[in-house]
Amino acid sequence: MPVKIERHMLALNFIRSTDYFDWCWANGFDGSLEKSTMDLREEIEAYQAEQIKRKSHAKLHRNPKAFLAAVCQGELSSDEIDRPVFKLAAAEIEASKEDAESRSSLLNMLSHLTSFGDFIFQTVPNHDETPFIRGLIKLHDRKALWLRPLEEWKPKSKNRERMFGELTHHLFDKFGDVPTFMEAVWLRNDRPSWRYRDWFVHLGRGYNLRKAKSVIPLTKKWLITICKRQTIIPLNRLYAGGR
């Protein structure tokens, strides 16, 4: 390997040539050992700009509201984030409704919730790929159906799962009749889960679940069975469309 390339690699903090070539290809540079002085200068400038951006992002991690604003406003993408929990949170926001009004409203909701700790950036215990922010976005998707203002909610627990559960009941459970095991429907991402969330809203208004929309009869015996099991996982056959 030419000496100037070795020095160039070290200047960019690359010890292994494979890492250097991967960086070159990822940034649109030629992954070869034959490079002009101009080529090397352009790579150094690109690397320095990348480091400046990384430092800027690191500051955002220490300011949750600024981080959320940058992601919701499209100024920061999940591809640019290294820390796993923040990367996952950004990816969930990117997958949400994209219109400016929805993103602005979502930002207001998430920013308000940062007052109660960092739970919106955390994942559900024993489910590392399920971030709480996924459920928060789904709660926001049905904002028009909220029964109480978000601002009136004050968590009684510091446990992240309980906090999330309390929030679901505050927003959608008028009489406190919705079973606690149904809180999980807001965190699910499988195809039939949208109907389960409809059921949560339906029950939260005091309506009988047997009268809820379903593609199969919701008999009393069947409902007693799932309540005893405290799970709605077996209901995948209910899916009939998606939203």
Side-chain angles (χ1 to χ4, degrees):
M1 179 181 296
V3 175
K4 72 172 184 178
I5 296 296
E6 289 184 356
R7 291 176 178 172
H8 178 66
M9 284 175 50
L10 291 175
L12 300 183
N13 290 319
F14 292 113
I15 297 176
R16 299 186 304 177
S17 59
T18 52
D19 292 337
Y20 167 63
F21 292 143
D22 287 343
W23 179 86
C24 287
W25 291 322
N27 290 274
F29 296 113
D30 184 25
S32 71
L33 298 177
E34 297 181 4
K35 298 188 176 183
S36 66
T37 301
M38 180 66 73
D39 293 332
L40 301 181
R41 185 180 300 117
E42 289 179 353
E43 290 182 7
I44 289 175
E45 291 174 354
Y47 181 80
Q48 291 174 340
E50 184 180 84
Q51 295 309 302
I52 291 173
K53 181 178 287 189
R54 285 181 181 277
K55 289 181 180 179
S56 176
H57 293 172
K59 291 180 180 179
L60 288 176
H61 294 159
R62 296 190 292 271
N63 188 333
K65 291 185 178 181
F67 172 84
L68 291 169
V71 176
C72 288
Q73 294 167 5
E75 299 170 359
L76 177 65
S77 71
S78 57
D79 292 337
E80 301 175 282
I81 303 170
D82 294 326
R83 292 180 62 180
V85 292
F86 285 91
K87 189 179 188 71
L88 191 56
E92 293 292 333
I93 292 174
E94 289 168 354
S96 68
K97 295 178 180 178
E98 297 182 1
D99 62 281
E101 184 177 354
S102 294
R103 285 288 173 86
S104 177
S105 177
L106 176 62
L107 173 59
N108 290 336
M109 175 187 181
L110 297 177
S111 295
H112 175 76
L113 292 175
T114 60
S115 303
F116 306 110
D118 64 348
F119 91 102
I120 69 172
F121 294 106
Q122 301 304 318
T123 56
V124 179
N126 302 318
H127 297 277
D128 291 342
E129 298 303 316
T130 304
F132 283 109
I133 198 170
R134 174 182 300 168
L136 297 174
I137 290 172
K138 287 178 169 50
L139 292 174
H140 179 266
D141 286 343
R142 285 171 165 75
K143 183 178 180 181
L145 300 174
W146 288 359
L147 297 175
R148 305 178 182 92
L150 173 68
E151 292 73 22
E152 292 182 1
W153 177 67
K154 296 294 186 294
K156 298 176 182 178
S157 173
K158 293 184 178 181
N159 177 281
R160 293 164 183 163
E161 285 184 283
R162 291 177 184 173
M163 286 175 66
F164 180 80
E166 289 174 14
L167 180 58
T168 67
H169 291 278
H170 172 82
L171 296 176
F172 294 108
D173 191 358
K174 186 174 183 179
F175 303 105
D177 295 333
V178 183
T180 56
F181 72 85
M182 288 194 67
E183 296 163 5
V185 303
W186 299 100
L187 293 163
R188 291 177 59 158
N189 216 26
D190 53 301
R191 296 182 70 199
S193 61
W194 65 267
R195 188 177 293 282
Y196 306 152
R197 292 188 282 277
D198 283 349
W199 289 6
F200 193 108
V201 174
H202 182 84
L203 285 172
R205 278 163 166 68
Y207 301 133
N208 192 315
L209 184 56
R210 293 178 64 183
K211 296 182 180 180
K213 293 181 180 180
S214 173
V215 295
I216 65 172
L218 299 179
T219 65
K220 182 177 180 179
K221 180 179 179 181
W222 185 82
L223 292 173
I224 291 175
T225 299
I226 65 168
C227 285
K228 285 183 177 179
R229 292 180 179 178
Q230 294 199 351
T231 178
I232 52 176
I233 293 176
L235 308 187
N236 288 343
R237 55 182 173 158
L238 285 176
Y239 177 72
R243 65 183 176 195

